[in-house]
Amino acid sequence: MSVVGTSPDRSDADTKLRGQAIFGADLSRTGMLWAAVARSPVAAGRIRGIDPAPALRIKGVLEVLTSADVPDWRTGVIVSDTPVLAADYVAYEGEPVAIVVAESRAAAEAGARAVALDIETAEPVSTPEQALAPGARLVHPDWNRFAVAGGADIGRDGNVVAEVVHDPGDLDEAFTAADIVVEGTYRTPRQYQAHLEPKMALATYESGRYTIEVSHQYPFRLRDRVAQILGVAPSAVRVVGHHIGGGFGAKLDVSLEAFAALLARRFRRPVRMQHTALEERLVAPCRANAIVAVRSAVRHDGTILATDVEIVSDSGAYANNGPALSSIPMFVFGSIYRVGTARIRTRNVYTNTAPTGAYRGVNGPWLVFANERHMDAIADALGRDRREFRLESLARDGDLMRNGQPLVEASILREAFDRVDELAPWRDIVSRNQRQRDAAGRSSQPVGAGTDVLRGTGQAAAIWLTNPMPGHATVKLNEDGTATVITSATENGSGAVATGLRQIAAEALGLAADAVTITMPDTDATGYDAGSQGSRTTHVVGRAIADASADVRSQVLDRASQMLEAAPEDLVIAGGVVTVAGVPAASLTLGAVAQAATWSDGPITAGASYVTPTPPHDPMCATGMLIKGWPTPTYHLHQAEVSVDPVTGRVTVDRYVVCQEVGRAIHPDAIAGQIQGGVAQGLGFALSERVDLDHGRYVLRTFKAHGLPLAEDVPKVEMIVMEHADAAGPYGAKGAAEPPIVPVAAAVANAVSDAIGVPFDTLPITPEAVLEALERAS
């Protein structure tokens, strides 16, 4: 019986349901010290002095460390621009300026609040527009001294962290030949990951090595980043992972871990650190806020001759992943739609705000929002049906993305349009909405003049990648006939480890899923893994497990063939038993085979690695580009139906349909959960979540005011899962967890714009924003 394609229980379900799972926030050690960070209360300023005396007077406080006590170099993922502790100036509210060490958490946190900071404040560079304004103050006056990994030319200049430019040089001719030019500017805010478990670290130091216990999505990056900050070899750092209480990209880089490690060595005692709820919000690597300006040259017949895209995204005070993420627009604009020629310029800029970073779908939600809102704008300008215009503009198999990568399966997206239309026919919905408007007399009244709800529908399509990078696993057959998978792949809540990876090993070895155990991450015990990000775990680590399991299976057959005196090709493995085909009595349990092997040739084990190959592409397609290809793409279409109350401005999502391509559904229920959850997060981004900034400082500082969607705000998502097996994936699987959030804001904004007849090109679409739009239209 096949295990792949079924939905067995998660391996962590029982322990989590009973509250017995050990998360990072649960960890404790005998003799443990606590530490807390004193942070800048202002967004920009020069440090004139730090007085630790008030903190040292608090009972239990042992020491206060400043920049003079820590390594004095700067580090970073790509650009080495981040100090260990601020020394000369602060660049955002919440920047670490001192560390307080104490015997208790309460004393450490009280001490951090008591550290006296003398900071000469400066007017912050609060927005990307301010950062790019002529004569703007430099967030980092010495920016040109910061090293870049590999010496790459990423277009840095002043407040510009990175610039990616794709310019074929033939746009002017296309715009001259256009019948109409359609322009739009699309603005999106930050989005906070809102995970429940705060960031933490527990560090020890022994025999010249650091051990850090964490809840982290990417243990090997953490190992390398801590080593970079401390100035030691990566092999001197061991990272041990525990259950993760949510991350969504926020736990992909270093946070408190290097501080804890430094202090563990200094005091020769375990050191524990954990963010407060306010710290989590102040320093979260939120999704970047961005401005996207799009201009298209169009013929009356709907042919798009050219598209000109200008993008500015906010890196915050430090570069983080911004230089790499600046490549992503190349794979969104001019990919799924034929747009003739295209010029794309992306600038990622410094501001005096908390550094931005990865959030599920990275830049995708705001890029697809701009792209799909613009497709609606072109259709409206031409007087065309929005769905039909998309279908006529869809890319075909073999068409090239902007990087020169061929779209070998672009026709999957056309299938998605057909599948969604079977479930929720577009023309019927549009006609129904128009009849309701006509019945309410809206054809002769100002928009929103009546009290009946306004109804609209919208679509948004997307192509998304399955993150590549290395994955490794070791599979061993235990002497009791079960299997253990040893890997540092992390279970971030998606079920990729707790279900999918176990199923892949079980399928290959003829076991039930519950006969496979997967270890927790440990960088000392496993090969390199690039972490829980970008839907890569099932595809990449699953492929490594499939290869290792195939090796284990081969060893089993070789040993069993000797024991059963039969050719390996005549043996069948199923249900934990090896049987001679057609001779049921001639059989052995896997446990018996494993024991025989252990006491003769040695245990049956195998390891394997996998790295997704970079797709064919043009390496000279753009300047400053760090992400060159779009590996293992998947295709998606979302359709939203909304109603808008013209009295209150409230938007209700009445129906939501997702058609998602996954390669192969290893665990269908897990995929359904990811789709539902991704849509919920996307609805928050589109309609309600607020991460407002005022002079560089966050305005809303609690969940109460944040605007996360509640259960009543999220409809039950109707799902169509398309399976088009990928030859490189384990049993055909591609990525599945990240894409569901990507098209949501675009689909909802298109639906709201349709409902009220006013374009919504800025997020979030709050009731206040709706009422203002209705007033403008009246």
Side-chain angles (χ1 to χ4, degrees):
M1 179 180 176
S2 178
V3 178
V4 165
T6 66
S7 297
D9 290 345
R10 295 173 59 118
S11 59
D12 56 2
D14 185 73
T15 187
K16 286 182 175 177
L17 285 170
R18 294 177 183 276
Q20 297 169 342
I22 303 299
F23 292 83
D26 298 320
L27 297 176
S28 181
R29 293 289 181 272
T30 301
M32 183 176 74
L33 296 176
W34 278 88
V37 178
R39 301 181 180 275
S40 170
V42 300
R46 185 155 297 279
I47 298 174
R48 293 189 296 204
I50 302 174
D51 182 5
L56 291 170
R57 287 194 288 268
I58 294 173
K59 183 179 180 180
V61 170
L62 303 178
E63 189 173 8
V64 177
L65 280 68
T66 66
S67 61
D69 306 301
V70 300
D72 63 356
W73 48 76
R74 290 175 180 256
T75 66
V77 179
I78 297 167
V79 180
S80 293
D81 57 2
T82 310
V84 180
L85 289 173
D88 302 318
Y89 63 90
V90 292
Y92 68 98
E93 182 192 14
E95 180 160 16
V97 294
I99 312 171
V100 177
V101 189
E103 294 286 357
S104 69
R105 180 178 183 180
E109 292 180 353
R113 292 191 297 270
V115 172
L117 304 176
D118 183 5
I119 300 176
E120 181 184 354
T121 60
E123 183 63 26
V125 178
S126 301
T127 67
E129 294 97 330
Q130 291 176 4
L132 294 174
R137 183 179 65 78
L138 295 177
V139 173
H140 297 292
D142 54 349
W143 66 270
N144 55 358
R145 297 184 181 181
F146 301 155
V148 179
D153 181 5
I154 57 174
R156 296 166 63 236
D157 184 14
N159 284 333
V160 177
V161 181
E163 181 177 50
V164 176
V165 179
H166 168 73
D167 188 355
D170 56 357
L171 262 74
D172 292 342
E173 182 179 343
F175 275 92
T176 300
D179 293 320
I180 61 170
V181 174
V182 180
E183 300 184 60
T185 300
Y186 310 94
R187 300 174 183 272
T188 54
R190 297 188 177 197
Q191 187 180 19
Y192 171 48
Q193 292 88 348
H195 49 83
L196 292 180
E197 181 193 31
K199 297 187 188 70
M200 56 69 58
L202 173 59
T204 56
Y205 180 80
E206 184 179 350
S207 302
R209 299 190 73 226
Y210 303 88
T211 297
I212 304 171
E213 297 185 68
V214 286
S215 297
H216 201 273
Q217 295 175 240
Y218 193 167
F220 275 94
R221 171 184 273 188
L222 180 59
R223 179 200 69 175
D224 295 348
R225 290 281 282 122
V226 169
Q228 180 190 45
I229 292 168
L230 299 184
V232 300
S235 58
V237 180
R238 177 191 180 197
V239 176
V240 177
H242 293 273
H243 290 290
I244 304 173
F248 308 111
K251 296 177 180 176
L252 283 171
D253 196 25
V254 71
S255 177
L256 299 169
E257 299 86 1
F259 295 149
L262 185 152
L263 295 170
R265 178 175 181 176
R266 191 179 186 94
F267 287 90
R268 294 300 199 272
R269 291 171 64 180
V271 176
R272 175 89 152 76
M273 302 184 74
Q274 182 170 308
H275 277 164
T276 65
L278 179 58
E279 281 182 298
E280 275 294 299
R281 190 170 291 269
L282 288 181
V283 302
C286 290
R287 189 189 308 284
N289 47 303
I291 306 164
V292 182
V294 188
R295 184 171 65 107
S296 293
V298 185
R299 285 188 177 144
H300 286 314
D301 65 1
T303 301
I304 303 174
L305 301 175
T307 296
D308 193 6
V309 185
E310 191 79 33
I311 298 166
V312 179
S313 63
D314 192 345
S315 183
Y318 296 103
N320 206 341
N321 292 301
L325 302 185
S326 295
S327 302
I328 292 178
M330 287 284 291
F331 305 101
V332 173
F333 294 96
S335 56
I336 60 174
Y337 300 117
R338 288 175 284 112
V339 299
T341 189
R343 177 170 57 203
I344 304 170
R345 181 190 187 201
T346 302
R347 286 175 292 173
N348 186 234
V349 300
Y350 285 128
T351 60
N352 287 124
T353 62
T356 57
Y359 184 156
R360 187 181 195 168
V362 285
N363 295 13
W366 53 264
L367 288 169
V368 171
F369 169 74
N371 192 36
E372 292 293 313
R373 283 294 305 122
H374 195 65
M375 288 298 290
D376 263 23
I378 297 173
D380 290 343
L382 294 170
R384 302 285 297 277
D385 176 83
R386 293 168 289 142
R387 177 179 181 274
E388 294 304 319
F389 176 65
R390 282 177 168 78
L391 284 170
E392 292 173 9
S393 303
L394 281 180
R396 304 183 182 98
D397 289 349
D399 283 355
L400 302 181
M401 302 177 80
R402 296 301 106 185
N403 71 329
Q405 176 181 331
L407 290 170
V408 295
E409 296 180 311
S411 56
I412 293 175
L413 196 51
R414 188 171 295 274
E415 178 189 340
F417 275 88
D418 292 339
R419 296 283 298 276
V420 169
D421 212 48
E422 292 171 4
L423 181 62
W426 174 266
R427 288 190 178 278
D428 292 351
I429 296 166
V430 170
S431 297
R432 179 204 66 196
N433 292 344
Q434 188 58 52
R435 288 195 301 271
Q436 289 176 340
R437 292 185 188 115
D438 292 343
R442 304 211 181 280
S443 59
S444 60
Q445 293 185 46
V447 175
T451 58
D452 294 330
V453 296
L454 309 172
R455 301 187 187 279
T457 188
Q459 290 185 327
I463 179 175
W464 203 245
L465 83 164
T466 304
N467 265 21
M469 300 184 287
H472 181 272
T474 296
V475 177
K476 66 172 185 172
L477 183 64
N478 300 314
E479 287 69 30
D480 60 1
T482 63
T484 299
V485 177
I486 304 166
T487 178
S488 277
T490 56
E491 175 54 66
N492 192 29
S494 68
V497 174
T499 60
L501 297 189
R502 293 167 56 238
Q503 289 173 266
I504 290 165
E507 183 80 11
L509 299 175
L511 293 170
D514 60 9
V516 178
T517 300
I518 298 188
T519 62
M520 283 291 191
D522 184 337
T523 57
D524 270 8
T526 67
Y528 193 98
D529 180 75
S532 175
Q533 55 172 319
S535 305
R536 63 173 294 281
T537 299
T538 301
H539 180 77
V540 174
V541 185
R543 168 61 187 270
I545 289 173
D547 290 349
S549 297
D551 191 339
V552 167
R553 182 185 180 91
S554 178
Q555 294 178 54
V556 167
L557 293 175
D558 285 345
R559 169 56 58 182
S561 69
Q562 300 171 32
M563 299 171 71
L564 293 170
E565 298 182 347
E569 57 268 24
D570 292 333
L571 301 180
V572 176
I573 305 177
V577 176
V578 185
T579 305
V580 178
V583 189
S587 64
L588 293 166
T589 66
L590 284 177
V593 176
Q595 288 188 40
T598 296
W599 294 102
S600 55
D601 301 327
I604 295 178
T605 66
S609 301
Y610 182 70
V611 179
T612 307
T614 301
H617 66 283
D618 174 10
M620 305 303 291
C621 63
T623 61
M625 196 162 173
L626 297 182
I627 298 175
K628 305 293 187 181
W630 203 245
T632 323
T634 54
Y635 299 85
H636 314 273
L637 180 67
H638 289 206
Q639 183 166 305
E641 297 178 43
V642 305
S643 55
V644 181
D645 187 325
V647 176
T648 65
R650 176 180 170 83
V651 175
T652 301
V653 181
D654 300 313
R655 188 181 188 188
Y656 203 93
V657 178
V658 170
C659 187
Q660 174 161 330
E661 193 251 330
V662 300
R664 176 78 186 278
I666 302 294
H667 191 290
D669 284 358
I671 289 175
Q674 289 305 295
I675 292 174
Q676 183 74 45
V679 170
Q681 289 177 311
L683 292 177
F685 184 53
L687 297 173
S688 58
E689 292 183 37
R690 304 299 296 263
V691 189
D692 300 336
L693 290 159
D694 182 19
H695 286 80
R697 304 177 74 233
Y698 286 123
V699 176
L700 306 172
R701 298 178 175 236
T702 66
F703 275 123
K704 183 178 180 180
H706 181 76
L708 284 172
L710 305 177
E712 65 181 9
D713 303 318
V714 182
K716 180 174 176 57
V717 178
E718 299 171 63
M719 306 171 196
I720 303 166
V721 176
M722 297 186 296
E723 295 184 283
H724 296 271
D726 179 69
Y731 301 101
K734 302 178 184 179
E738 192 173 42
I741 194 175
V742 172
V744 179
V748 171
N750 285 344
V752 176
S753 300
D754 176 49
I756 70 173
V758 179
F760 266 96
D761 297 336
T762 298
L763 297 180
I765 306 173
T766 61
E768 296 84 356
V770 170
L771 293 176
E772 289 175 6
L774 289 171
E775 185 174 350
R776 289 196 307 271
S778 61

